[in-house]
Amino acid sequence: MAKLITAPLDRQTARSLRAGDSVLLSGTVYTARDAAHKRLCELAAKGRPMPFPIDFVGPTPARPGQPIGSAGPTTSYRMDAYSPTLLRLGQLGMIGKGRRGPEVIEAMKEAGAVYFGAIGGAGALLAQRIQSAELVCYEDLGTEAVRRLEVESLPLTVVIDSLGNNLYETGRAAYLAARR
């Protein structure tokens, strides 16, 4: 059964989740991709805060009457160069797809953060869980601009938990063991 959680995450909730947990996330999340991450880290280097959790998505333009277009996850390792900085600034959750590097996992453990996986290729279905979308900054980046999303029961899986447990590793090991 899926755990019901609210964004933004608090430290206690983030630390209570374990790799493999299914969650339904409701609340406020922010989108950002590569170019926005670079700019956010540049702000951080100048001492400016970055107060929000990030969903790695570059949504397509909204159709008439819809808050957003397709909103599938993007490949997260492209943000690995920036994620440790943002985690040190207080980010507790990331949503994307694909593996994360060892530096990111270490920074997650230090911060008590989690990495959620969203289903790749299901952007149109995931967009149905988005109630509203508002441009926050970096409009010049188009789909990579930072947006505030209000989500309702967004289906996610905890891929890497705050202890560093990694579903990409444990799931593969369990699969291989079951085949023997």
Side-chain angles (χ1 to χ4, degrees):
M1 173 160 244
K3 295 181 178 185
L4 305 176
I5 61 173
T6 303
L9 293 177
D10 60 52
R11 195 165 306 283
Q12 181 179 354
T13 300
R15 288 191 173 165
S16 74
L17 298 170
R18 293 294 168 256
D21 285 350
S22 293
V23 301
L24 293 174
L25 178 68
S26 296
T28 304
V29 297
Y30 291 79
T31 67
R33 284 185 39 187
D34 321 34
H37 272 72
K38 181 179 180 190
R39 289 185 186 179
L40 292 169
C41 285
E42 289 168 353
L43 284 177
K46 296 175 184 173
R48 297 205 177 131
M50 197 290 302
F52 42 78
I54 303 282
D55 180 0
F56 306 140
V57 62
T60 62
R63 291 166 49 180
Q66 300 296 316
I68 199 165
S70 180
T74 194
T75 305
S76 301
Y77 74 81
R78 294 194 331 245
M79 275 55 75
D80 278 8
Y82 311 110
S83 291
T85 297
L86 301 180
L87 289 161
R88 282 190 291 277
L89 292 171
Q91 183 178 359
L92 292 174
M94 299 171 283
I95 303 169
K97 69 177 180 181
R99 294 182 176 270
R100 305 309 303 269
E103 300 84 11
V104 174
I105 295 171
E106 257 329 291
M108 289 174 58
K109 288 166 46 177
E110 291 170 16
V114 294
Y115 171 53
F116 297 101
I119 300 170
L125 291 172
L126 293 172
Q128 293 175 6
R129 302 299 184 162
I130 299 170
Q131 307 302 304
S132 67
E134 175 188 352
L135 179 69
V136 174
C137 59
Y138 309 138
E139 183 175 11
D140 63 302
L141 296 179
T143 61
E144 292 198 32
V146 175
R147 288 176 173 77
R148 179 180 16 260
L149 306 180
E150 293 300 324
V151 300
E152 178 81 30
S153 299
L154 184 66
L156 303 169
T157 301
V158 177
V159 177
I160 303 172
D161 64 30
S162 63
L163 301 175
N165 299 311
N166 187 335
L167 190 60
Y168 288 124
E169 295 171 1
T170 59
R172 178 174 159 68
Y175 171 78
L176 292 174
R179 292 188 59 205
R180 290 186 187 141

